[in-house]
Amino acid sequence: MAIRKSDLLFIFDDGFWISSDDERNPLKNTVRTDKSEVQIVHFDVSDIYIFKEHRIFRRLVSTNRVSLSVEQLMANINCGKWELEFINEYHSDRDVLYQCWIWMNHSPFHIECQITLDCDKIVYHWNNLCENKPW
């Protein structure tokens, strides 16, 4: 994850999935790309929340919504403490809501995350579709 000028970047070393019905995919299968990047142009973060569950004897007692800054999220991802997985993306006018999972190597192993931001556009960059990496 990085900030370059006024853009927010998410860099995916593993690439991401391009479905078979995507106009940029001439292949018959859903496949992965090579290293790729999502560029959120002229971004302004409205909210970043993680949802911490509190359990007693494995029974859910409460869930707290905790606010994070872009810098906190970026620091935890870039140092390898967390991995971010995008689950859903919702658009309205200039706003984008991402529902994500944050994965970690210790209990609770994953937590829910929501990122709401304002931007001019979202650009997806990759060089190659990898035929040898089908769904």
Side-chain angles (χ1 to χ4, degrees):
M1 192 172 163
I3 296 175
R4 183 173 56 214
K5 298 183 183 177
S6 61
D7 298 348
L8 179 62
L9 306 173
F10 291 100
I11 299 132
F12 299 90
D13 290 334
D14 303 7
F16 41 76
W17 294 105
I18 305 298
S19 65
S20 58
D21 61 351
D22 190 298
E23 64 187 23
R24 297 161 292 185
N25 183 356
L27 307 172
K28 294 178 184 176
N29 297 325
T30 296
V31 295
R32 273 201 189 269
T33 64
D34 55 358
K35 185 176 179 177
S36 55
E37 177 181 285
V38 175
Q39 176 186 9
I40 301 172
V41 180
H42 297 110
F43 83 101
D44 180 33
V45 172
S46 300
D47 301 300
I48 299 176
Y49 294 113
I50 59 173
F51 297 87
K52 291 190 172 186
E53 294 181 348
H54 299 280
R55 296 178 178 270
I56 297 177
F57 303 113
R58 295 186 182 166
R59 177 173 257 172
L60 180 63
V61 176
S62 68
T63 302
N64 292 350
R65 184 174 78 164
V66 179
S67 181
L68 290 179
S69 68
V70 173
E71 293 78 15
Q72 289 171 307
L73 180 65
M74 190 166 28
N76 283 312
I77 290 170
N78 291 346
C79 78
K81 184 176 176 182
W82 292 351
E83 289 184 29
L84 186 65
E85 178 181 0
F86 291 87
I87 306 298
N88 290 307
E89 178 180 340
Y90 302 99
H91 295 264
S92 67
D93 282 335
R94 291 179 45 91
D95 288 340
V96 181
L97 168 66
Y98 290 107
Q99 289 181 314
C100 309
W101 283 106
I102 292 176
W103 294 93
M104 57 196 79
N105 292 327
H106 55 79
S107 182
F109 300 105
H110 70 278
I111 52 178
E112 286 185 57
C113 174
Q114 282 186 344
I115 302 170
T116 307
L117 48 85
D118 177 71
C119 64
D120 287 349
K121 64 181 176 176
I122 300 171
V123 183
Y124 299 87
H125 302 280
W126 71 84
N127 290 322
N128 300 298
L129 296 173
C130 301
E131 288 186 70
N132 62 335
K133 296 180 182 177
W135 180 271

mmCIF file of all heavy atoms in Angstrom, residues 13-36:
data_model
loop_
_atom_site.group_PDB
_atom_site.id
_atom_site.type_symbol
_atom_site.label_atom_id
_atom_site.label_comp_id
_atom_site.label_asym_id
_atom_site.label_seq_id
_atom_site.Cartn_x
_atom_site.Cartn_y
_atom_site.Cartn_z
ATOM 1 N N ASP A 13 1.207 -8.252 -5.281
ATOM 2 C CA ASP A 13 2.290 -9.057 -5.854
ATOM 3 C C ASP A 13 1.751 -10.296 -6.563
ATOM 4 O O ASP A 13 2.307 -10.729 -7.563
ATOM 5 C CB ASP A 13 3.282 -9.474 -4.765
ATOM 6 C CG ASP A 13 4.101 -8.292 -4.255
ATOM 7 O OD1 ASP A 13 4.286 -7.314 -5.009
ATOM 8 O OD2 ASP A 13 4.545 -8.338 -3.094
ATOM 9 N N ASP A 14 0.652 -10.876 -6.046
ATOM 10 C CA ASP A 14 0.037 -12.076 -6.637
ATOM 11 C C ASP A 14 -0.873 -11.739 -7.801
ATOM 12 O O ASP A 14 -1.461 -12.625 -8.397
ATOM 13 C CB ASP A 14 -0.846 -12.805 -5.625
ATOM 14 C CG ASP A 14 -0.134 -13.203 -4.371
ATOM 15 O OD1 ASP A 14 1.009 -12.816 -4.185
ATOM 16 O OD2 ASP A 14 -0.747 -13.917 -3.567
ATOM 17 N N GLY A 15 -1.092 -10.451 -8.059
ATOM 18 C CA GLY A 15 -2.045 -10.052 -9.085
ATOM 19 C C GLY A 15 -3.460 -10.129 -8.551
ATOM 20 O O GLY A 15 -3.679 -10.256 -7.352
ATOM 21 N N PHE A 16 -4.437 -10.031 -9.445
ATOM 22 C CA PHE A 16 -5.815 -10.241 -9.050
ATOM 23 C C PHE A 16 -6.553 -10.983 -10.143
ATOM 24 O O PHE A 16 -6.048 -11.192 -11.234
ATOM 25 C CB PHE A 16 -6.546 -8.952 -8.634
ATOM 26 C CG PHE A 16 -6.281 -7.736 -9.475
ATOM 27 C CD1 PHE A 16 -6.853 -7.571 -10.722
ATOM 28 C CD2 PHE A 16 -5.470 -6.724 -8.993
ATOM 29 C CE1 PHE A 16 -6.640 -6.434 -11.466
ATOM 30 C CE2 PHE A 16 -5.234 -5.571 -9.740
ATOM 31 C CZ PHE A 16 -5.825 -5.435 -10.968
ATOM 32 N N TRP A 17 -7.756 -11.447 -9.805
ATOM 33 C CA TRP A 17 -8.542 -12.269 -10.716
ATOM 34 C C TRP A 17 -9.249 -11.394 -11.734
ATOM 35 O O TRP A 17 -9.850 -10.392 -11.389
ATOM 36 C CB TRP A 17 -9.587 -13.077 -9.941
ATOM 37 C CG TRP A 17 -8.992 -14.101 -9.036
ATOM 38 C CD1 TRP A 17 -8.890 -14.029 -7.674
ATOM 39 C CD2 TRP A 17 -8.423 -15.338 -9.417
ATOM 40 N NE1 TRP A 17 -8.280 -15.153 -7.195
ATOM 41 C CE2 TRP A 17 -7.981 -15.978 -8.246
ATOM 42 C CE3 TRP A 17 -8.223 -15.977 -10.639
ATOM 43 C CZ2 TRP A 17 -7.368 -17.224 -8.246
ATOM 44 C CZ3 TRP A 17 -7.614 -17.216 -10.652
ATOM 45 C CH2 TRP A 17 -7.194 -17.824 -9.474
ATOM 46 N N ILE A 18 -9.184 -11.809 -13.007
ATOM 47 C CA ILE A 18 -9.922 -11.162 -14.089
ATOM 48 C C ILE A 18 -10.896 -12.212 -14.628
ATOM 49 O O ILE A 18 -10.491 -13.259 -15.132
ATOM 50 C CB ILE A 18 -8.984 -10.662 -15.216
ATOM 51 C CG1 ILE A 18 -7.901 -9.737 -14.661
ATOM 52 C CG2 ILE A 18 -9.792 -9.986 -16.311
ATOM 53 C CD1 ILE A 18 -8.414 -8.471 -14.013
ATOM 54 N N SER A 19 -12.183 -11.928 -14.516
ATOM 55 C CA SER A 19 -13.187 -12.919 -14.900
ATOM 56 C C SER A 19 -13.230 -13.112 -16.415
ATOM 57 O O SER A 19 -12.828 -12.245 -17.190
ATOM 58 C CB SER A 19 -14.569 -12.529 -14.375
ATOM 59 O OG SER A 19 -14.997 -11.349 -14.988
ATOM 60 N N SER A 20 -13.757 -14.249 -16.804
ATOM 61 C CA SER A 20 -13.820 -14.603 -18.229
ATOM 62 C C SER A 20 -14.735 -13.678 -19.018
ATOM 63 O O SER A 20 -14.581 -13.531 -20.222
ATOM 64 C CB SER A 20 -14.269 -16.046 -18.394
ATOM 65 O OG SER A 20 -15.524 -16.220 -17.773
ATOM 66 N N ASP A 21 -15.678 -13.018 -18.343
ATOM 67 C CA ASP A 21 -16.591 -12.111 -19.056
ATOM 68 C C ASP A 21 -16.092 -10.659 -19.077
ATOM 69 O O ASP A 21 -16.759 -9.794 -19.627
ATOM 70 C CB ASP A 21 -18.004 -12.190 -18.481
ATOM 71 C CG ASP A 21 -18.069 -11.786 -17.020
ATOM 72 O OD1 ASP A 21 -17.012 -11.595 -16.389
ATOM 73 O OD2 ASP A 21 -19.191 -11.674 -16.498
ATOM 74 N N ASP A 22 -14.911 -10.409 -18.540
ATOM 75 C CA ASP A 22 -14.337 -9.060 -18.576
ATOM 76 C C ASP A 22 -13.845 -8.768 -19.994
ATOM 77 O O ASP A 22 -13.193 -9.597 -20.618
ATOM 78 C CB ASP A 22 -13.165 -8.963 -17.585
ATOM 79 C CG ASP A 22 -12.673 -7.549 -17.399
ATOM 80 O OD1 ASP A 22 -12.200 -6.947 -18.394
ATOM 81 O OD2 ASP A 22 -12.735 -7.051 -16.270
ATOM 82 N N GLU A 23 -14.172 -7.590 -20.499
ATOM 83 C CA GLU A 23 -13.805 -7.231 -21.879
ATOM 84 C C GLU A 23 -12.293 -7.211 -22.103
ATOM 85 O O GLU A 23 -11.838 -7.335 -23.237
ATOM 86 C CB GLU A 23 -14.404 -5.872 -22.247
ATOM 87 C CG GLU A 23 -13.858 -4.727 -21.421
ATOM 88 C CD GLU A 23 -14.567 -3.412 -21.675
ATOM 89 O OE1 GLU A 23 -15.728 -3.417 -22.127
ATOM 90 O OE2 GLU A 23 -13.949 -2.377 -21.409
ATOM 91 N N ARG A 24 -11.513 -7.094 -21.030
ATOM 92 C CA ARG A 24 -10.046 -7.083 -21.166
ATOM 93 C C ARG A 24 -9.444 -8.477 -21.101
ATOM 94 O O ARG A 24 -8.242 -8.632 -21.175
ATOM 95 C CB ARG A 24 -9.428 -6.201 -20.076
ATOM 96 C CG ARG A 24 -9.859 -4.732 -20.207
ATOM 97 C CD ARG A 24 -9.643 -3.985 -18.939
ATOM 98 N NE ARG A 24 -10.577 -4.515 -17.941
ATOM 99 C CZ ARG A 24 -10.743 -4.036 -16.722
ATOM 100 N NH1 ARG A 24 -10.037 -3.011 -16.333
ATOM 101 N NH2 ARG A 24 -11.602 -4.563 -15.889
ATOM 102 N N ASN A 25 -10.298 -9.495 -20.988
ATOM 103 C CA ASN A 25 -9.830 -10.874 -20.902
ATOM 104 C C ASN A 25 -10.275 -11.653 -22.136
ATOM 105 O O ASN A 25 -11.422 -12.070 -22.230
ATOM 106 C CB ASN A 25 -10.367 -11.535 -19.631
ATOM 107 C CG ASN A 25 -9.854 -12.940 -19.442
ATOM 108 O OD1 ASN A 25 -9.143 -13.478 -20.280
ATOM 109 N ND2 ASN A 25 -10.223 -13.543 -18.332
ATOM 110 N N PRO A 26 -9.369 -11.898 -23.089
ATOM 111 C CA PRO A 26 -9.727 -12.652 -24.292
ATOM 112 C C PRO A 26 -9.746 -14.169 -24.057
ATOM 113 O O PRO A 26 -10.112 -14.924 -24.951
ATOM 114 C CB PRO A 26 -8.618 -12.270 -25.276
ATOM 115 C CG PRO A 26 -7.430 -12.018 -24.417
ATOM 116 C CD PRO A 26 -7.978 -11.417 -23.150
ATOM 117 N N LEU A 27 -9.361 -14.625 -22.872
ATOM 118 C CA LEU A 27 -9.303 -16.054 -22.568
ATOM 119 C C LEU A 27 -10.693 -16.572 -22.190
ATOM 120 O O LEU A 27 -11.587 -15.802 -21.870
ATOM 121 C CB LEU A 27 -8.308 -16.300 -21.430
ATOM 122 C CG LEU A 27 -6.906 -15.711 -21.653
ATOM 123 C CD1 LEU A 27 -6.070 -15.842 -20.399
ATOM 124 C CD2 LEU A 27 -6.230 -16.377 -22.843
ATOM 125 N N LYS A 28 -10.849 -17.887 -22.204
ATOM 126 C CA LYS A 28 -12.136 -18.495 -21.864
ATOM 127 C C LYS A 28 -12.302 -18.681 -20.362
ATOM 128 O O LYS A 28 -13.394 -18.951 -19.896
ATOM 129 C CB LYS A 28 -12.267 -19.853 -22.552
ATOM 130 C CG LYS A 28 -12.338 -19.750 -24.054
ATOM 131 C CD LYS A 28 -12.428 -21.105 -24.685
ATOM 132 C CE LYS A 28 -12.404 -20.983 -26.193
ATOM 133 N NZ LYS A 28 -12.394 -22.281 -26.849
ATOM 134 N N ASN A 29 -11.211 -18.547 -19.608
ATOM 135 C CA ASN A 29 -11.236 -18.792 -18.172
ATOM 136 C C ASN A 29 -11.022 -17.515 -17.379
ATOM 137 O O ASN A 29 -10.432 -16.553 -17.861
ATOM 138 C CB ASN A 29 -10.116 -19.765 -17.774
ATOM 139 C CG ASN A 29 -10.276 -21.122 -18.393
ATOM 140 O OD1 ASN A 29 -11.383 -21.607 -18.561
ATOM 141 N ND2 ASN A 29 -9.166 -21.737 -18.725
ATOM 142 N N THR A 30 -11.463 -17.547 -16.126
ATOM 143 C CA THR A 30 -11.074 -16.525 -15.158
ATOM 144 C C THR A 30 -9.639 -16.848 -14.750
ATOM 145 O O THR A 30 -9.343 -17.990 -14.389
ATOM 146 C CB THR A 30 -12.010 -16.563 -13.935
ATOM 147 O OG1 THR A 30 -13.334 -16.234 -14.378
ATOM 148 C CG2 THR A 30 -11.570 -15.589 -12.872
ATOM 149 N N VAL A 31 -8.763 -15.857 -14.851
ATOM 150 C CA VAL A 31 -7.341 -16.088 -14.567
ATOM 151 C C VAL A 31 -6.782 -14.948 -13.706
ATOM 152 O O VAL A 31 -7.359 -13.875 -13.618
ATOM 153 C CB VAL A 31 -6.495 -16.196 -15.856
ATOM 154 C CG1 VAL A 31 -6.879 -17.417 -16.661
ATOM 155 C CG2 VAL A 31 -6.613 -14.943 -16.698
ATOM 156 N N ARG A 32 -5.620 -15.229 -13.130
ATOM 157 C CA ARG A 32 -4.897 -14.204 -12.390
ATOM 158 C C ARG A 32 -4.048 -13.375 -13.339
ATOM 159 O O ARG A 32 -3.690 -13.816 -14.419
ATOM 160 C CB ARG A 32 -3.940 -14.846 -11.373
ATOM 161 C CG ARG A 32 -4.579 -15.150 -10.061
ATOM 162 C CD ARG A 32 -3.488 -15.284 -9.011
ATOM 163 N NE ARG A 32 -3.990 -15.774 -7.777
ATOM 164 C CZ ARG A 32 -4.423 -14.996 -6.784
ATOM 165 N NH1 ARG A 32 -4.411 -13.705 -6.904
ATOM 166 N NH2 ARG A 32 -4.864 -15.535 -5.675
ATOM 167 N N THR A 33 -3.729 -12.166 -12.882
ATOM 168 C CA THR A 33 -2.774 -11.327 -13.603
ATOM 169 C C THR A 33 -1.404 -11.518 -12.964
ATOM 170 O O THR A 33 -1.276 -12.151 -11.916
ATOM 171 C CB THR A 33 -3.148 -9.839 -13.473
ATOM 172 O OG1 THR A 33 -3.050 -9.459 -12.098
ATOM 173 C CG2 THR A 33 -4.535 -9.569 -13.997
ATOM 174 N N ASP A 34 -0.394 -10.931 -13.574
ATOM 175 C CA ASP A 34 0.894 -10.832 -12.901
ATOM 176 C C ASP A 34 0.770 -9.718 -11.861
ATOM 177 O O ASP A 34 -0.331 -9.262 -11.559
ATOM 178 C CB ASP A 34 2.011 -10.576 -13.918
ATOM 179 C CG ASP A 34 1.765 -9.359 -14.787
ATOM 180 O OD1 ASP A 34 0.709 -8.696 -14.654
ATOM 181 O OD2 ASP A 34 2.629 -9.053 -15.621
ATOM 182 N N LYS A 35 1.877 -9.260 -11.312
ATOM 183 C CA LYS A 35 1.840 -8.198 -10.307
ATOM 184 C C LYS A 35 0.974 -7.058 -10.814
ATOM 185 O O LYS A 35 1.061 -6.665 -11.975
ATOM 186 C CB LYS A 35 3.255 -7.696 -10.027
ATOM 187 C CG LYS A 35 3.316 -6.679 -8.923
ATOM 188 C CD LYS A 35 4.749 -6.285 -8.611
ATOM 189 C CE LYS A 35 4.780 -5.247 -7.510
ATOM 190 N NZ LYS A 35 6.147 -4.899 -7.142
ATOM 191 N N SER A 36 0.107 -6.549 -9.960
ATOM 192 C CA SER A 36 -0.857 -5.548 -10.396
ATOM 193 C C SER A 36 -1.043 -4.467 -9.342
ATOM 194 O O SER A 36 -0.533 -4.577 -8.230
ATOM 195 C CB SER A 36 -2.184 -6.223 -10.729
ATOM 196 O OG SER A 36 -2.624 -6.984 -9.624
#
